[in-house]
Amino acid sequence: MSRFFCLILAALLGAAEVHAQQFVQPQASPHAVVTQTIGLTDVTVDYHTPGVKNRKIWGQLVPYEQVWRAGANENTLITFADSVRLGGKPVAAGTYSLYVLPSADHDWQLILNKVTNHWGNEGYKAEDDVLRVPVLPETTPMRESLHYWFSDVRPNAARLNLSWETKTISVFIRTNVHAKVLQSMQAAMSKTPNDPQLLAAAADYLIQNQIEAELALKYINRAIELNESYTNLWLKARLMAQKEDYLSAVESARRAIKAGDKDDDKFKTQLPGMKVALTQWQSKAY
């Protein structure tokens, strides 16, 4: 074979290799990302979705008593934008590898590990675990592809679920939403301390969530000084009832009813409920 022919053949093989490298096709376990905002905190799971494909999953493809990557391909990652409590245990904000330790005869373990650049569980070390949380597997309808999903979403909590084949495990995530709201509230107040609408909105949040009663009283008293509306007076009445100061609640409720515009449709809608509450507070005050 001549040198010229060899050079031509090498060039053709090189071109073929380049084209092969550019060839793309769907992954056997597609990439997926799910994010849920819990209160004011984003929680994100980044994973790959293997399929059952007529295989026995639990105890065979995924052996019992061995740490599993909780997905396919690279590490499954979970990111918390703020500090949270996972299964009742504190977790700092950040990104962690998510593993599962399944078992045939007792609770499984959900594991957060600080090393995030492994391929699955290759190189996994228990000493790098941040925490382990026991989870109870439940028997559920057949699911072909592994799937992470959120449920029971509340203002400060939600449940993270992992479902595959006929098993689902779940863990409760709780966020400190009130701390973030208070921080935002105080920042807003520092800029516009004499905005009656802002003061009333801040007091309303605190009253609805039954937190920081003295701060709520400070805000609503200042809002009333700036704008003695029936809504502000009624907010104070509700707060004083929460504090079980029913004499003050009755006084503020009467002022609120007197201050309301009898032709205001919103006030007319609220008035019957206000009168019922006033009657209840009067029975406790006298």
Side-chain angles (χ1 to χ4, degrees), residues 163-188:
S163 298
W164 196 25
E165 198 204 43
T166 57
K167 298 288 186 186
T168 292
I169 58 173
S170 62
V171 65
F172 206 59
I173 301 173
R174 186 175 296 277
T175 65
N176 192 354
V177 64
H178 297 320
K180 291 202 71 173
V181 172
L182 283 169
Q183 183 180 16
S184 174
M185 186 183 294
Q186 289 164 359

Side-chain angles (χ1 to χ4, degrees), residues 101-160:
L101 179 60
S103 175
D105 53 13
H106 54 79
D107 286 356
W108 296 12
Q109 297 283 319
L110 189 89
I111 304 168
L112 296 191
N113 188 279
K114 65 183 180 182
V115 178
T116 59
N117 58 356
H118 288 157
W119 180 268
N121 59 359
E122 293 179 8
Y124 165 83
K125 295 179 181 179
E127 55 262 37
D128 293 324
D129 290 350
V130 175
L131 62 73
R132 291 190 174 204
V133 177
V135 290
L136 182 64
E138 298 181 7
T139 301
T140 51
M142 175 68 184
R143 179 176 288 277
E144 171 63 27
S145 295
L146 182 147
H147 178 58
Y148 284 89
W149 52 288
F150 289 87
S151 62
D152 299 333
V153 179
R154 309 173 193 177
N156 66 336
R159 190 173 295 280
L160 172 63

